[in-house]
Each structure stands twice: as structure tokens, then as C-alpha cells.
Amino acid sequence: METFIIANWKSHMLLSQAQEWVESMNATLTSTSKKVIICPPFTLLPFLSVQKNMLLGAQDISPFGMGAYTGAVNGAQIKEFALYVLIGHSERREYFKEDDTILSQKVTLALEQGLTPIYCVQGKDTIIPSGIDIVAYEPIWAIGSGKAESCEQANEVALSIKAKNSIKTVLYGGSVSSKNVASFTAMEAIDGVLVGSASLNAVEFSAIIQNA
Ligand code: PGA
């Protein structure tokens, strides 16, 4: 089974910073056999899409198609640059008030465009729309807190998500670092990690890829 390592840059990074990041990450991205997917802000997708060895995801997708929806970036537009899209992150649920109805609309549109959604869930009972193959389990309290969940507990939740939804790939996210990443990827039911703040630093993110 492949090990997924997803970088979620959130609302961080300017073009100049992304250029430096790419330069420092080049050797690692060229040599790794792991599946590394970078999810930058929309503004950086065109720049990153022309770099070598770069698998990309968007951090969001419009719940509508092409049309008069000011500010929205739709699936066809994402597909020009990326293959994946994060949907259902707890920050989208909290700050942008996205609910299960909107999230399932986003999943439908992503799938229609041939994008692969990486669906974020906050617990074993979070509703998962149909058509999802990759789930990222991220307990809210572990995000950005420096306190990751125990790998045993995360494994339990991953097992339960797999059993309930017949999902093959479950990732763990929440304060993943180069120090703790191996404990998660060693778990039977955990197929990789979703990394927020630690993915912004190229040295740390390289170490995460190597240690995973
Ligand atoms: P964190 O964020 O690694 O900074 O905790 C993870 C996420 O929100 O995807």
C-alpha cells in the first residue's frame, strides 16, 4: 500500500516563498517513492503545476459549476492544474459555515470533473458522502495545537471508518511532525498523513517524507 503525505498550506505562502520551498524540496520530491501531494492556495497552483515531480491538490472547490458565482473557483478550473481537492476540512466547516449538504455538493462536482476528493472527517461518525476513496481523519483539538492524537487511538478511528464506509485509504492529520510521523504510518489502518504547519518548512517537510 502506498504511503500518502499531503501538505495543506492553508492560507500561507507567497510566490517568492513557494519558489524557495520548491528549490529546497526538489531533491526529496525527485527521490521519494511516497505519494506526496501539495495543496497550496489557488494563487500558487499555476506556478507549482509547472515544477517537476509535483502532485497537486486544491484546498477547496466551488459548490457550483462555471458561471456567475463571484469569488468561486470551480472544478473545471482546478482540473487544469490539480488532480486532488480537500473537502470538509474543519476550518472550512467552522469559518466558512460549510455543512454536510454543501460538502456533498462539492464532492459531486469534484467527481464530475475527475478530481479525487480527500475528504476530511473530525471523528468516526462524521458523515462521508458516497464516491469518496480517501479520507483524512483530523481530530479538531489536534489541529495546530502541537498535540497529536495517540497513534493507537488514531488507528482505532481509521479502522472504524474503513469498516463503516468501505473506504480503503485513511490518513491521519493534526500536529504531525518529523518526530511523530513514523508512529502513525506504522499503524495498520493508517495509510499516510495530512500535514499543516509542518509542511511549510521545507527542511521539516523533507524529514517528514523521509521518516514516514
Ligand atoms: P496541523 O494541521 O498539521 O498544523 O496540525 C493539519 C491540518 O489542519 O490539515
PDB file of all heavy atoms in Angstrom, residues 27 51 83 96 131 184:
ATOM      1  N   ALA A  27      15.174  17.796  -4.356  1.00  0.00           N
ATOM      2  CA  ALA A  27      15.868  16.504  -4.237  1.00  0.00           C
ATOM      3  C   ALA A  27      14.948  15.476  -3.586  1.00  0.00           C
ATOM      4  O   ALA A  27      14.836  14.327  -4.044  1.00  0.00           O
ATOM      5  CB  ALA A  27      17.141  16.679  -3.427  1.00  0.00           C
ATOM      6  N   GLN A  51       6.293  22.797 -12.084  1.00  0.00           N
ATOM      7  CA  GLN A  51       7.506  22.278 -11.447  1.00  0.00           C
ATOM      8  C   GLN A  51       7.575  20.764 -11.641  1.00  0.00           C
ATOM      9  O   GLN A  51       6.563  20.112 -11.871  1.00  0.00           O
ATOM     10  CB  GLN A  51       7.516  22.597  -9.944  1.00  0.00           C
ATOM     11  CG  GLN A  51       7.278  24.066  -9.623  1.00  0.00           C
ATOM     12  CD  GLN A  51       8.282  24.981 -10.306  1.00  0.00           C
ATOM     13  OE1 GLN A  51       9.478  24.726 -10.302  1.00  0.00           O
ATOM     14  NE2 GLN A  51       7.779  26.045 -10.919  1.00  0.00           N
ATOM     15  N   LEU A  83      -5.030  17.405  -9.421  1.00  0.00           N
ATOM     16  CA  LEU A  83      -5.784  16.148  -9.529  1.00  0.00           C
ATOM     17  C   LEU A  83      -6.647  15.872  -8.298  1.00  0.00           C
ATOM     18  O   LEU A  83      -7.542  15.045  -8.325  1.00  0.00           O
ATOM     19  CB  LEU A  83      -4.805  14.978  -9.695  1.00  0.00           C
ATOM     20  CG  LEU A  83      -3.955  14.956 -10.966  1.00  0.00           C
ATOM     21  CD1 LEU A  83      -2.933  13.828 -10.908  1.00  0.00           C
ATOM     22  CD2 LEU A  83      -4.872  14.788 -12.181  1.00  0.00           C
ATOM     23  N   PHE A  96     -16.233  28.983   7.468  1.00  0.00           N
ATOM     24  CA  PHE A  96     -16.998  29.263   6.247  1.00  0.00           C
ATOM     25  C   PHE A  96     -18.378  28.609   6.304  1.00  0.00           C
ATOM     26  O   PHE A  96     -19.106  28.585   5.313  1.00  0.00           O
ATOM     27  CB  PHE A  96     -16.215  28.818   5.006  1.00  0.00           C
ATOM     28  CG  PHE A  96     -14.883  29.526   4.889  1.00  0.00           C
ATOM     29  CD1 PHE A  96     -13.739  29.004   5.478  1.00  0.00           C
ATOM     30  CD2 PHE A  96     -14.792  30.750   4.246  1.00  0.00           C
ATOM     31  CE1 PHE A  96     -12.516  29.664   5.404  1.00  0.00           C
ATOM     32  CE2 PHE A  96     -13.565  31.422   4.164  1.00  0.00           C
ATOM     33  CZ  PHE A  96     -12.426  30.879   4.749  1.00  0.00           C
ATOM     34  N   GLY A 131     -18.861   7.943  -2.989  1.00  0.00           N
ATOM     35  CA  GLY A 131     -17.878   8.247  -4.034  1.00  0.00           C
ATOM     36  C   GLY A 131     -16.515   8.625  -3.498  1.00  0.00           C
ATOM     37  O   GLY A 131     -15.599   8.904  -4.260  1.00  0.00           O
ATOM     38  N   PHE A 184       2.591   7.051  13.212  1.00  0.00           N
ATOM     39  CA  PHE A 184       1.285   6.948  12.545  1.00  0.00           C
ATOM     40  C   PHE A 184       1.356   6.029  11.328  1.00  0.00           C
ATOM     41  O   PHE A 184       0.503   5.163  11.135  1.00  0.00           O
ATOM     42  CB  PHE A 184       0.777   8.336  12.133  1.00  0.00           C
ATOM     43  CG  PHE A 184       0.411   9.177  13.314  1.00  0.00           C
ATOM     44  CD1 PHE A 184       1.229  10.218  13.739  1.00  0.00           C
ATOM     45  CD2 PHE A 184      -0.734   8.904  14.049  1.00  0.00           C
ATOM     46  CE1 PHE A 184       0.911  10.976  14.855  1.00  0.00           C
ATOM     47  CE2 PHE A 184      -1.069   9.646  15.173  1.00  0.00           C
ATOM     48  CZ  PHE A 184      -0.241  10.683  15.571  1.00  0.00           C
TER      49      PHE A 184
END
